[in-house]
């Protein structure tokens, strides 16, 4: 729970070549842990819930008032997308009521349970085209009327929000500016050091009045302006993190080596990643195999405070085998990092329940002896 609070949200993704992304994010920071204990924070404890942050994510229930602002505003803006959504909802009001009635009487229920009145098709150029019931549930989720009450694998079970959220859920109304200020402060804590641009890209998608919020936080000494050596721009750090800077400068920080999910909070903002670490990264899942540069589901390697390379692992659950299909070293990576990377791979294998680790031939020469 402390890690979830530090990060504000954990991005969800259905791909589990290694493990679900949010599980990897926690493993990178905690090492092997009991996934069931984390799941209990969602259901039945309700300390976390699934909603939209910068993407579909696991969010903190204690932050519910911030997310409630988005729920109340959807789909009420004057954008073409919201206008289209409002029109489609009017055309399919009977199906909306049908879903809510079914949940009230029989929930939690999976998607397939909601057969009902004929609907007009939702049209889009993306994967949601024609997926009418799924789209209706998504809209009700955005509005905060329904929430995910459980999962079997990646299959969601939906229920009315009031039955998913615990009684202690904070529900104080926030003005738009109050929500922006609170979200900006949380976002900066999770980023460590950030510009206004970084904050806008993190945690929640929109920060109306962000400049005003940052000025207010500076006046109240909640955030401090800092310089990041070698980088331009107006950077901030949260006042509560100033003791961390002191401990780092006095040598109390203990570096470690770990592997990062493609959607890890540290690297998901690719522009910020490039700016801070000089590390260019893209996920190549949708790149044709022959054109992939590094691999299908590549995990960047964090060695201390440097990103030194990447590995392309896959977990065979039937054979309990973790295969590292390739590894790649960044320019300037040290040979000594090989042993630390090997230890991190073994740690990942333990977390996944793998009894065997195999390495393909595509291993950098400097790490061959450690990753052989």
């Amino acid at each position: 729970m402390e890690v979830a609070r530090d990060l504000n949200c954990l991005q969800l993704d259905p791909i589990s070549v290694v493990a679900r992304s949010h599980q990897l994010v926690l493993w990178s920071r905690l090492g092997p842990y009991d996934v069931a204990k984390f799941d209990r924070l969602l259901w039945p404890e309700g300390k976390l819930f699934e909603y939209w942050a910068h993407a579909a994510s696991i969010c903190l229930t204690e932050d519910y008032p911030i997310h409630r602002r988005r729920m109340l505003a959807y789909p009420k803006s004057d954008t073409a997308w919201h206008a289209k959504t409002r029109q489609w909802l009017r055309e399919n009001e009977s199906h909306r009521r049908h879903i809510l009635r079914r949940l009230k009487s029989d929930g939690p229920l999976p998607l397939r349970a909601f057969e009902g009145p004929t609907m007009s098709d939702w049209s889009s150029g993306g994967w949601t085209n024609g997926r009418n019931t799924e789209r209706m549930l998504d809209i009700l989720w955005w509005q905060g009327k329904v929430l995910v009450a459980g999962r079997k694998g990646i299959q969601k079970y939906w229920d009315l929000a009031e039955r998913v959220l615990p009684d202690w859920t904070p529900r104080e109304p926030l003005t738009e500016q109050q929500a922006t200020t609170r979200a900006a402060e949380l976002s900066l804590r999770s980023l460590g050091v950030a510009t206004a641009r970084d904050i806008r890209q993190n945690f929640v998608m929109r920060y109306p009045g962000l400049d005003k919020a940052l000025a207010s936080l500076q006046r109240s000494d909640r955030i401090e302006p800092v310089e990041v050596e070698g980088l331009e721009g107006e950077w901030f750090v949260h006042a509560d993190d100033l003791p961390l800077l002191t401990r780092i400068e006095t040598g109390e920080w203990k570096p470690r080596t770990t592997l990062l999910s493609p959607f890890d909070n540290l690297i998901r903002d690719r522009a910020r990643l490039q700016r801070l670490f000089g590390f260019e990264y893209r996920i190549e899942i949708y790149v044709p195999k022959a054109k992939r540069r590094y691999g299908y589901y590549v995990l960047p390697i964090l060695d201390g405070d440097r990103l030194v390379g990447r590995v392309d692992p896959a977990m065979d659950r039937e054979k309990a085998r973790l295969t590292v299909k390739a590894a790649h070293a960044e320019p300037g990576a040290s040979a000594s990092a090989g042993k630390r990377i090997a230890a991190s791979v073994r740690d990942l294998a333990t977390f996944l329940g793998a009894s065997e680790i195999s390495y393909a031939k595509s291993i950098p020469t400097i790490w061959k002896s450690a990753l052989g």
Side-chain angles (χ1 to χ4, degrees):
M1 189 64 193
E2 290 176 6
V3 174
R5 186 173 287 119
D6 280 343
L7 297 174
N8 289 334
C9 60
L10 300 166
Q11 183 171 334
L12 291 164
D13 190 84
I15 298 170
S16 56
V17 175
V18 181
R20 296 288 303 282
S21 178
H22 67 280
Q23 296 170 353
L24 284 175
V25 170
L26 291 170
W27 166 81
S28 295
R29 290 154 177 79
L30 295 169
Y33 67 95
D34 185 348
V35 173
K37 288 184 177 180
F38 176 76
D39 288 344
R40 284 200 294 273
L41 295 174
L42 280 156
W43 315 289
E45 293 182 23
K47 293 179 180 178
L48 304 170
F49 73 107
E50 293 189 18
Y51 194 59
W52 190 272
H54 57 268
S57 301
I58 294 171
C59 302
L60 276 76
T61 304
E62 63 197 47
D63 294 334
Y64 180 77
I66 297 172
H67 301 292
R68 184 64 177 158
R69 286 291 310 179
R70 169 174 284 162
M71 295 172 181
L72 293 172
Y74 189 83
K76 297 179 181 178
S77 78
D78 57 1
T79 65
W81 182 263
H82 277 202
K84 172 184 174 178
T85 301
R86 291 193 297 270
Q87 176 63 30
W88 189 77
L89 284 173
R90 286 192 292 269
E91 293 171 0
N92 296 285
E93 173 62 18
S94 60
H95 196 64
R96 187 189 73 85
R97 291 197 303 266
H98 168 74
I99 288 175
L100 294 175
R101 283 196 300 268
R102 282 296 319 275
L103 288 175
K104 185 176 181 179
S105 62
D106 302 320
L109 295 170
L111 173 66
R112 64 175 181 272
F114 298 106
E115 295 182 4
T118 301
M119 302 177 67
S120 62
D121 280 344
W122 173 266
S123 61
S124 77
W127 66 271
T128 59
N129 186 58
R131 301 171 78 159
N132 302 323
T133 299
E134 188 170 354
R135 182 60 186 152
M136 182 65 77
L137 283 166
D138 282 342
I139 291 172
L140 291 170
W141 176 63
W142 272 77
Q143 293 177 328
K145 297 183 184 300
V146 305
L147 291 172
V148 179
R151 284 178 179 262
K152 289 184 180 179
I154 63 171
Q155 180 175 244
K156 302 172 186 175
Y157 279 73
W158 298 93
D159 205 349
L160 299 176
E162 58 263 32
R163 294 208 293 241
V164 177
L165 294 169
D167 293 340
W168 55 262
T169 302
R171 300 176 187 275
E172 74 271 24
L174 299 179
T175 66
E176 185 176 79
Q177 193 60 50
Q178 287 172 331
T180 294
T181 302
R182 189 180 295 188
E185 190 170 4
L186 289 172
S187 182
L188 182 57
R189 287 296 316 266
S190 70
L191 291 167
V193 62
T195 64
R197 179 261 170 212
D198 299 331
I199 290 171
R200 287 187 191 280
Q201 297 298 313
N202 185 60
F203 183 36
V204 293
M205 288 182 66
R206 299 176 183 86
Y207 287 85
L210 178 60
D211 291 342
K212 182 179 178 180
L214 294 176
S216 173
L217 289 168
Q218 283 191 79
R219 287 194 301 270
S220 59
D221 296 323
R222 295 299 295 157
I223 67 175
E224 298 284 347
V226 293
E227 292 183 5
V228 179
E229 186 176 344
L231 295 178
E232 297 180 352
E234 189 177 23
W235 294 82
F236 300 98
V237 67
H238 197 279
D240 291 350
D241 284 337
L242 292 175
L244 269 177
L245 292 178
T246 301
R247 291 203 294 272
I248 290 170
E249 289 172 350
T250 57
E252 291 185 38
W253 177 64
K254 302 298 182 185
R256 55 189 295 268
T257 300
T258 192
L259 312 176
L260 302 176
S261 158
F263 306 104
D264 191 284
N265 298 52
L266 178 65
I267 66 171
R268 55 152 297 276
D269 183 344
R270 310 300 194 219
R272 182 172 186 267
L273 172 66
Q274 176 82 42
R275 192 178 185 195
L276 283 177
F277 291 92
F279 189 82
E280 184 179 343
Y281 179 73
R282 67 179 293 200
I283 190 165
E284 297 182 304
I285 291 170
Y286 304 110
V287 176
K289 186 175 182 179
K291 295 184 177 181
R292 288 177 195 147
R293 186 177 177 187
Y294 296 110
Y296 181 77
Y297 198 75
V298 168
L299 310 186
I301 304 166
L302 181 66
D303 185 43
D305 60 357
R306 291 190 60 209
L307 288 159
V308 299
R310 41 200 114 197
V311 295
D312 180 23
M315 178 63 186
D316 186 330
R317 290 170 179 80
E318 288 187 5
K319 297 180 180 178
R321 177 193 298 149
L322 177 64
T323 299
V324 177
K325 297 184 286 185
H328 307 271
E330 287 291 287
S334 68
S336 63
K339 291 183 178 179
R340 297 190 292 273
I341 296 166
S344 186
V345 171
R346 290 194 297 272
D347 191 75
L348 177 60
T350 298
F351 172 60
L352 298 174
S355 56
E356 178 185 355
I357 302 172
S358 66
Y359 288 91
K361 294 180 180 179
S362 182
I363 301 294
T365 303
I366 60 169
W367 296 336
K368 242 321 177 215
S369 60
L371 305 180

